Amino acid sequence: MSKPKILVARAVFPEVIARLEKHFKVDANQDDENWSKAQLTERMRDKEGAFTTGGERIDAQLLAACPKLKICANMAVGYNNFDLDAMTAAGVLATNAPDVLTETTADFGFALLMATARRITESEHYLRAGKWNKWRYDMFAGAEVHGSTLGILGMGRIGQGIAKRGALGFGMKVIYHNRSRLDAGIEAECKARYVSKEELLKSADHVVLVLPYSPASHHTIGAAELALMKPSATLVNIARGGIVDDAALAAALRNKTISAAGLDVFEGEPKVHPDLLTVPNVVLTPHIASATLPTRLAMANLAADNLIAFFSGKKPLTPLNASVLALE
Ligand code: 8YV
């Protein structure tokens, strides 16, 4: 029997490509070319499976042009690049890559919170620019982290990881808001108290965003929400671009409506709103929250495991629209 044809849409670890090649006829984008939607569709047209990252939009238009496609395995926990309804309607299974990145991403969320609150990049830029010629008592005085109030919007696995770091490691009071309230057992484990979004924004010293992107969460944080926050508060976004209105945030940072922000994700990334590049009180990183080599390898292997399981007639490990499998 001939091997199923799959597309690997972005460059990934050579050992993962080698694994996939044992099972599939692989068309791999190892040069990491930036394909347009039309180029992606063209390369996917004759494929039965696809290995995607968060950047490739899989929608009804693409699916209509790729009738052989049966599965798209995302090397990301977030899957807002998938039109899940269109995929389900087309009978295409979608899988994501949760769990393996939880702790690494929570570490980064906390690192960004610390760097933001304690003005690490701002002070480093000052030092590198040769501006440091004497010590001053209030030089780069930042916000207290230990003992302060940490507000987490989006209390999934990564949010819970950040809550534990804050509560257990830094003695923070943790409040959270989520679509649904967590079980009392999980709240106790995370030492977290459920509050309304408004209360969270008004009372947190540090707000961390870890909620999934969907049209419903678009601009969850805009000018009105920023105005609710304390002028001394910091905001960290490791979720998705589009959850924050970046133009409104840049204005709030410039006007000191809030004191600082740490951003790993941006509206329209890899482009960054030009106003964010000119305000000093923001730490900017290029979507690297899950970026350690062991974690990225685990994410790639999980996407590969999903493809291999599916084409061997087994249940994929992390399906998003398992109802499609019932139709098989
Ligand atoms: C990915 C992410 O690295 O998993 C996610 O949802 O945002 C990151 O961990 C990125 O999406 C590329 O796949």
Side-chain angles (χ1 to χ4, degrees):
M1 220 176 71
S2 66
K3 291 174 175 173
K5 286 185 187 168
I6 66 157
L7 179 71
V8 181
R10 294 291 308 274
V12 287
F13 297 88
E15 59 261 52
V16 176
I17 298 289
R19 252 192 95 200
L20 290 167
E21 278 171 342
K22 289 190 189 137
H23 302 265
F24 308 112
K25 192 164 182 322
V26 180
D27 179 7
N29 180 11
Q30 283 304 76
D31 291 334
D32 215 22
E33 284 171 17
N34 250 338
W35 289 336
S36 65
K37 179 85 184 290
Q39 286 168 316
L40 174 69
T41 308
E42 206 37 55
R43 294 293 279 260
M44 219 182 270
R45 200 178 284 283
D46 62 338
K47 306 296 189 299
E48 288 168 72
F51 179 119
T52 51
T53 67
E56 296 76 44
R57 180 88 188 131
I58 307 297
D59 58 13
Q61 195 193 17
L62 179 139
L63 293 166
C66 305
K68 295 185 177 167
L69 196 64
K70 297 192 179 79
I71 173 171
C72 284
N74 229 21
M75 181 194 152
V77 63
Y79 51 89
N80 53 301
N81 57 316
F82 287 167
D83 180 337
L84 212 52
D85 289 341
M87 292 175 78
T88 306
V92 174
L93 183 75
T95 64
N96 68 339
D99 302 321
V100 290
L101 80 179
T102 300
E103 298 302 328
T104 300
T105 306
D107 283 348
F108 187 87
F110 217 85
L112 200 49
L113 187 164
M114 297 283 285
T116 304
R118 297 304 306 272
R119 305 176 66 179
I120 288 179
T121 51
E122 196 185 345
S123 58
E124 186 186 347
H125 287 148
Y126 170 89
L127 181 151
R128 283 181 188 271
K131 294 180 183 166
W132 186 31
N133 48 32
K134 63 175 183 204
W135 179 90
R136 227 191 101 88
Y137 73 97
D138 60 350
M139 194 165 76
F140 292 105
E144 215 69 88
V145 174
H146 73 274
S148 65
T149 299
L150 169 62
I152 301 177
L153 260 184
M155 196 66 155
R157 291 160 282 210
I158 298 169
Q160 291 169 32
I162 293 171
K164 285 180 198 154
R165 281 159 179 75
L168 309 176
F170 288 79
M172 296 172 93
K173 293 177 268 303
V174 181
I175 52 178
Y176 78 97
H177 184 75
N178 201 40
R179 271 173 304 189
S180 46
R181 191 173 166 171
L182 301 178
D183 290 348
I186 301 178
E187 284 188 352
E189 231 178 88
C190 299
K191 295 192 184 302
R193 186 167 63 85
Y194 183 80
V195 295
S196 68
K197 180 179 154 191
E198 189 176 333
E199 186 183 340
L200 184 143
L201 292 171
K202 281 183 175 165
S203 50
D205 297 306
H206 306 287
V207 174
V208 180
L209 307 174
V210 212
L211 61 164
Y213 181 82
S214 70
S217 63
H218 184 73
H219 286 187
T220 294
I221 301 293
E225 290 73 22
L226 290 160
L228 290 177
M229 292 174 66
K230 297 180 187 178
S232 56
T234 67
L235 176 74
V236 165
N237 186 9
I238 57 163
R240 274 291 180 274
I243 286 179
V244 175
D245 176 342
D246 285 348
L249 175 61
L253 290 167
R254 194 178 301 286
N255 303 332
K256 301 277 171 63
T257 308
I258 65 168
S259 103
L263 307 174
D264 186 50
V265 288
F266 305 87
E267 289 191 283
E269 64 186 50
K271 291 203 184 82
V272 175
H273 194 291
D275 293 354
L276 286 172
L277 297 172
T278 56
V279 283
N281 46 344
V282 61
V283 181
L284 306 168
T285 53
H287 203 146
I288 55 167
S290 66
T292 66
L293 288 177
T295 290
R296 286 278 166 85
L297 182 61
M299 292 163 73
N301 271 321
L302 179 50
D305 289 342
N306 276 317
L307 288 164
I308 294 165
F310 176 79
F311 284 106
S312 330
K314 296 185 193 130
K315 192 169 183 286
L317 288 85
T318 51
L320 293 165
N321 54 351
S323 59
V324 164
L325 294 168
L327 307 173
E328 285 290 303

